[in-house]
Structure formats: C-alpha cells, structure tokens
Amino acid sequence: MAGRPVVVPGGPRRPADPGRGAAVHGGPGRRPRRRGPRVARRHDLPAEGDRRPDRARRPYRREGFLIMPFITTADGAQIFYKDWGSGRPVVLSHGWPLNSDSWEAQALFLASHGYRVIAHDRRGHGRSTQTWDGNEMDTYADDLAALLDALDLRHATLVGFSTGGGEVARYIGRHGTGRVAQAALVSAVPPFMLRTPDNPEGVPVTVFDGIRAGSLADRSQLYKDLAAGPFFGGAASQGVQDAFWLQSMASGHRNAYECVAAFSATDFRDDLAAFDVPTLVIHGDADQVVPFDVGGKRSAALIKDAELIVYAGAPHGITDTHREQLGADLLAFLEEISS
C-alpha cells in the first residue's frame, strides 16, 4: 500500500500549515490559542482582599451564567433559592402562599447596599418541590437549616415575613443561633395565632376554616379576594395584586392548604424564648391578616430586648405597600452590627 494517496472524506487533505501548528503549541509568529476549560473573566473574580469563602462556594456560577440553584433536603425535596450580591448574609423567608419573588424589592435594595441576600421558596411553594408530606413548621425550619448548612452561612440575619416569621422562630427554637447574628420578624405569625383556652386573644378557628374552605372551593378566586382585600388593605396596585395571585397559584394545592394549619395552629412561644440575638419586630397596626395585638405586639414582649417598630395604618403586605420604609428599617438594623 506504500505510495498510494490517502483519500479523505470531503475532499483532499490540505497541506499542513507550519505557522498554524506553531501557534497552537506556542511557537513563534502567532499568539497561543487557549485550550481547555474557560478561564474566569476578570469581573468574575473577587477583588484582592475580598476572597471570602461564601463567594467561592457558590456552585451555580458556570461559564459566566447563573444556573437556577437548588439544595436537596434529607427527604429529597428540592429547595429553590436566590443568592444575590455579596457581603454579610441576609436570609429572607416568605409568607403564605407566596414565594421568594415576594421579597424582590427588599432583596434588590439590600444586595445593592453591600449584603449577600438569599431568599428561598418554601417546599410546596414557587419552584421548590411540591412534596406530599412535610407541610408543617418543623420541616420548614429544618429545610431552612439545610439551606444555611449547604451554603455554610455564618453571622447571618434571618428575616421572616408572616408565615416566614414562624419559620425563622421555629428554626431558632430547633437549631439555635450558631449561624445567626440577628433576626427580624415582619408582619409575622408568632407567637400564636389560633384562639385556644390558653391563648384567648388569638384568632377564632372559623377564620382559618374559611380560608381552607375557600381554597378547596376556588383557590384562584380566594387569592384574588385576599389580594384585593385584607392582605394589602386596598393599598396595592392591580399589578401588585396580580403578582400576589401569580405567586399563590404557583404553590401546590395540598401544600398551601396544609400550610394554613402550619401558620395558624403552631405555638411559637417557646421558640421566641430561645431568641438570644438582637431582634427587630416590624408590624402594621392595621394588619387584618395577623392583627398587631396578636402578632407583633406580643412577640416583641416575649423576645428579650426586642426592638419594635409599628407602621401606623399599615396593612399586612408591607413588603409591597411600604417597600421603601421597610428596606430602610432593615438596612438600619443590619448596620447596627456591620460597622
């Protein structure tokens, strides 16, 4: 076979280019071409002196893109989370039946002011797994613990809105404050919403039965009615109300139904007694979902040295109706230990 021409599919083989081969291998005349995995661009890298472990551990930065991040809990549930900015971590827990999008205004504001903001979708809500089981506060708190552990967050500030306030309280009650520097409860359900013989100031069970019945009958209309009525107290635009409905419909039917019992019938009084970090309580005195006298006023009294800020005339959904004021108050609270 020696001496026969080699037939190359697609046409004759071009003669070798000495200059081309030299360039690939670093020879003279051409700049070497990069081979192998992409090297991070300059703006992907932390500045000198800013090589914090929290940045290095983020698993979802690949090739300059942000991939939707999840953590996996002990029972296999996938918990979606956002992770914006850099700096001392702030973890935001959302209300029922919403998801982390409900924190958009505060997340953007705080991340723009030098904080790393993490906001997750509770199981059964938003982009997280719609599990059949685990729709109660102990599991919610354990999922939050799994998130803090997976990201190895330290010196974090936990901020909980409405049901998320219960999640934060139960987290501290079950897992302590080893990773926590501060806590904030915003329009939050603790210490105990349901009226019982030992909680006579609570809300009658008929209120929560009505929510559950509405969920089974026509939950889409229920969410529209809540947004147009008690949640925002008539102080939100149609766009904000539509966002409330959209987020609510993204929750699992069973998950949202079960969560009504979780936020209304869980007693957080012992959890609040375990708070040993600076705590801020913010509540509107016109809240028709978690009345001030049932929620913020009593929580502030039960948490040692808690700071209470009352928004005069404010409804439940102050993450939207009072977004600027809430952002400023949270930032001032964060900066109490940042300087």
Side-chain angles (χ1 to χ4, degrees):
M1 301 295 289
R4 296 186 58 184
V6 177
V7 177
V8 179
R13 174 177 293 171
R14 293 189 304 175
D17 180 352
R20 181 185 180 90
V24 171
H25 299 289
R30 291 176 183 265
R31 295 177 60 188
R33 291 192 303 167
R34 180 180 296 127
R35 295 291 195 188
R38 170 187 176 277
V39 177
R41 295 192 298 270
R42 183 177 183 82
H43 67 265
D44 292 334
L45 301 174
E48 194 65 34
D50 189 32
R51 299 180 184 278
R52 290 182 289 271
D54 62 319
R55 291 180 65 93
R57 268 191 288 272
R58 296 184 188 189
Y60 56 88
R61 290 188 184 276
R62 297 289 187 277
E63 299 290 336
F65 297 94
L66 294 180
I67 301 170
M68 299 281 277
F70 292 83
I71 60 113
T72 303
T73 65
D75 67 351
Q78 297 284 302
I79 304 296
F80 168 83
Y81 67 96
K82 302 178 184 181
D83 193 345
W84 293 0
S86 61
R88 194 162 65 77
V90 182
V91 182
L92 306 175
S93 294
H94 64 80
W96 172 92
L98 305 173
N99 58 54
S100 58
D101 293 348
S102 63
W103 280 116
E104 276 192 351
Q106 291 74 37
L108 182 61
F109 176 79
L110 297 176
S112 299
H113 283 77
Y115 291 89
R116 178 183 176 185
V117 180
I118 297 101
H120 67 293
D121 291 354
R122 184 173 304 115
R123 67 169 56 208
H125 298 69
R127 289 137 290 201
S128 294
T129 305
Q130 294 185 9
T131 58
W132 186 254
D133 298 313
N135 304 296
E136 33 71 32
M137 282 293 169
D138 285 355
T139 301
Y140 295 160
D142 291 349
D143 289 348
L144 179 58
L147 177 66
L148 268 64
D149 290 346
L151 300 181
D152 195 21
L153 301 182
R154 302 174 187 276
H155 210 49
T157 296
L158 305 185
V159 184
F161 167 75
S162 193
T163 299
E167 187 176 293
V168 167
R170 184 50 53 93
Y171 170 86
I172 291 177
R174 284 173 68 84
H175 299 277
T177 53
R179 294 186 179 276
V180 181
Q182 296 172 303
L185 303 178
V186 179
S187 304
V189 297
F192 188 16
M193 285 195 71
L194 185 64
R195 180 178 296 175
T196 63
D198 71 336
N199 189 43
E201 298 177 342
V203 179
V205 69
T206 53
V207 173
F208 307 112
D209 286 343
I211 296 174
R212 281 187 281 258
S215 176
L216 294 177
D218 186 347
R219 73 181 188 121
S220 177
Q221 189 59 50
L222 168 70
Y223 299 147
K224 286 181 178 289
D225 292 343
L226 286 173
F231 198 90
F232 296 114
S237 68
Q238 187 60 52
V240 168
Q241 294 179 44
D242 290 348
F244 178 95
W245 175 86
L246 183 64
Q247 292 176 43
S248 301
M249 290 304 293
S251 64
H253 193 178
R254 173 182 167 89
N255 306 105
Y257 181 87
E258 295 284 313
C259 190
V260 176
F263 73 69
S264 64
T266 302
D267 185 346
F268 300 100
R269 288 175 287 191
D270 289 343
D271 300 306
L272 298 186
F275 277 48
D276 58 358
V277 293
T279 303
L280 173 64
V281 178
I282 299 177
H283 216 110
D285 64 7
D287 191 329
Q288 301 175 55
V289 177
V290 182
F292 172 64
D293 288 342
V294 174
K297 181 179 179 180
R298 295 175 64 203
S299 287
L302 292 173
I303 299 172
K304 184 180 179 182
D305 299 327
E307 177 185 359
L308 173 64
I309 299 178
V310 181
Y311 287 5
H316 187 65
I318 58 177
T319 51
D320 283 297
T321 63
H322 292 66
R323 58 181 63 180
E324 291 82 11
Q325 184 178 355
L326 179 59
D329 286 333
L330 290 175
L331 182 62
F333 179 59
L334 287 164
E335 291 181 344
E336 288 179 4
I337 63 170
S338 293
S339 58

